């Protein structure tokens, strides 16, 4: 926030290192959130240079996709003041990234598939051949889903920075109240069903549409725990259960879908 040079330095250095690429994307998003499209686009333009270098020399398209989708989501959040719209934009960006790779980057996807094929063969042997064969379209789905996930996390980091600087406590309130409107829920569910029924190549692309529901489900959990001051133990227990009990993910997603229609928080009794 001190100036263009500092913002460009943090964004470019972060994007240029794979481990901290999401921090670089968050820096560009922070500028967009606070100062608007013009200043944000200036930082993104310079951050595109290391992102392109990573793509050309490191053969990794992740930082480039993450930077562009995070910038798009930040612009939407600034203009609409809606996390639901921002996450929907991130899903659209992830879908677009996967579609572009699936259409023009078959050699790139095939190279990744060849690199992980020994591990896949080992998993197939352990499962007695019960796992489906992995296709290049599945690799594109993984890249698209990763783009959506890390873009939303980078945007959350940027929003947290902004709140610390200009509105302490505001980020927590936003996260506790995060909820999808019914219209966006219908669009996401329809998109998930549409792509999953579009052929074997697109069988896993619907995962990108599920990520906003997971975020909203976790937001509902944190909001309820915070509202009733239940303590962090409840959160720790839930996250451990989430890792150990697979069907709990479906419950979390269904709860977020139901919440988009009936607003569970509003129906809960007042704390105390």
């Amino acid at each position: 926030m001190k100036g263009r040079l500092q913002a460009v330095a943090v964004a470019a250095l972060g994007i240029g290192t794979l481990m901290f690429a999401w921090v670089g994307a968050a820096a560009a998003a922070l500028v967009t959130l606070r100062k608007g499209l013009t200043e944000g686009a200036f930082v993104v333009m310079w951050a595109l240079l290391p992102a392109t270098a990573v793509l050309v020399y490191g053969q990794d398209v992740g930082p480039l996709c993450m930077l562009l989708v995070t910038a798009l989501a930040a612009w939407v959040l600034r203009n609409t003041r809606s996390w639901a719209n921002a996450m929907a934009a991130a899903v659209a960006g992830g879908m677009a990234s996967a579609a572009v790779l699936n259409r023009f980057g078959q050699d790139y996807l095939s190279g990744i598939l060849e690199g992980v094929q020994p591990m896949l063969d080992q998993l197939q042997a352990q499962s007695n051949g019960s796992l489906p064969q992995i296709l290049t379209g599945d690799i594109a789905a993984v890249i698209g889903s990763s783009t959506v996930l890390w873009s939303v996390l980078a945007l959350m980091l940027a929003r947290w920075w902004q709140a610390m600087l200009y509105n302490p406590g505001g980020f927590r309130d936003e996260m506790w109240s995060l909820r999808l409107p019914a219209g966006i829920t219908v669009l996401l569910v329809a998109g998930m069903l549409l792509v999953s029924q579009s052929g074997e190549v697109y069988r896993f692309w619907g995962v990108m549409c599920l990520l906003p529901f997971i975020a909203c489900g976790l937001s509902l959990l944190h909001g309820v725990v915070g509202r009733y001051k239940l303590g962090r133990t409840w959160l720790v227990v839930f996250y451990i259960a989430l890792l150990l009990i697979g069907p709990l993910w479906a419950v979390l997603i269904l709860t977020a879908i139901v919440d988009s229609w009936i607003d569970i928080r509003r129906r809960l009794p007042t704390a105390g």
Side-chain angles (χ1 to χ4, degrees):
M1 290 294 95
K2 288 185 177 181
R4 282 182 169 183
L5 179 60
Q6 292 88 339
V8 168
V10 173
L13 290 174
I15 289 293
T17 57
L18 296 180
M19 184 176 297
F20 298 103
W22 65 293
V23 177
L30 174 60
V31 176
T32 302
L33 288 172
R34 182 63 183 174
K35 298 189 175 182
L37 180 61
T38 302
E39 290 295 320
F42 180 85
V43 176
V44 170
M45 179 185 67
W46 283 103
L48 282 174
L49 296 179
T52 304
V54 170
L55 172 61
V56 173
Y57 299 106
Q59 294 296 303
D60 191 341
V61 73
L64 177 62
C65 294
M66 187 197 313
L67 174 65
L68 294 176
V69 174
T70 303
L72 170 65
W75 176 75
V76 171
L77 180 58
R78 174 182 168 85
N79 285 276
T80 66
R81 299 179 182 273
S82 168
W83 270 101
N85 291 338
M87 289 192 294
V91 171
M95 286 280 188
S97 301
V100 170
L101 285 173
N102 194 56
R103 178 64 179 85
F104 301 104
Q106 283 296 319
D107 291 340
Y108 175 77
L109 297 176
S110 298
I112 296 177
L113 186 56
E114 289 178 5
V116 299
Q117 194 61 53
M119 180 182 66
L120 296 175
D121 292 339
Q122 185 178 3
L123 292 175
Q124 281 282 10
Q126 293 175 354
S127 63
N128 297 321
S130 61
L131 294 178
Q133 183 180 1
I134 301 301
L135 308 174
T136 54
D138 302 331
I139 303 298
V142 171
I143 295 174
S145 299
S146 176
T147 297
V148 176
L149 174 62
W150 286 104
S151 296
V152 172
L153 290 176
L155 182 58
M156 288 182 175
L157 176 61
R159 194 65 162 179
W160 178 57
W161 284 340
Q162 185 183 25
M164 284 198 306
L165 290 171
Y166 306 107
N167 183 25
F171 178 75
R172 184 193 63 183
D173 295 339
E174 283 189 354
M175 291 298 100
W176 282 6
S177 62
L178 185 60
R179 173 177 165 268
L180 290 175
I184 292 182
T185 295
V186 171
L187 289 176
L188 290 174
V189 172
M192 178 186 65
L193 296 176
L194 179 63
V195 296
S196 62
Q197 298 298 320
S198 298
E200 192 176 24
V201 173
Y202 306 100
R203 57 189 173 181
F204 297 129
W205 288 39
V207 173
M208 287 179 263
C209 298
L210 293 178
L211 294 176
F213 294 118
I214 294 175
C216 290
L218 294 175
S219 169
L220 176 60
L221 172 67
H222 281 259
V224 171
V225 170
R227 179 175 182 175
Y228 293 106
K229 297 180 174 60
L230 299 178
R232 295 181 180 179
T233 303
W234 288 82
L235 296 176
V236 173
V237 170
F238 180 83
Y239 279 109
I240 292 175
L242 200 60
L243 293 175
L244 299 177
I245 305 173
L248 197 56
W249 289 97
V251 174
L252 185 69
I253 292 169
L254 289 175
T255 302
I257 293 175
V258 172
D259 183 48
S260 69
W261 291 94
I262 67 173
D263 194 354
I264 295 174
R265 297 174 184 82
R266 185 170 57 86
R267 298 173 182 271
L268 292 173
T270 304

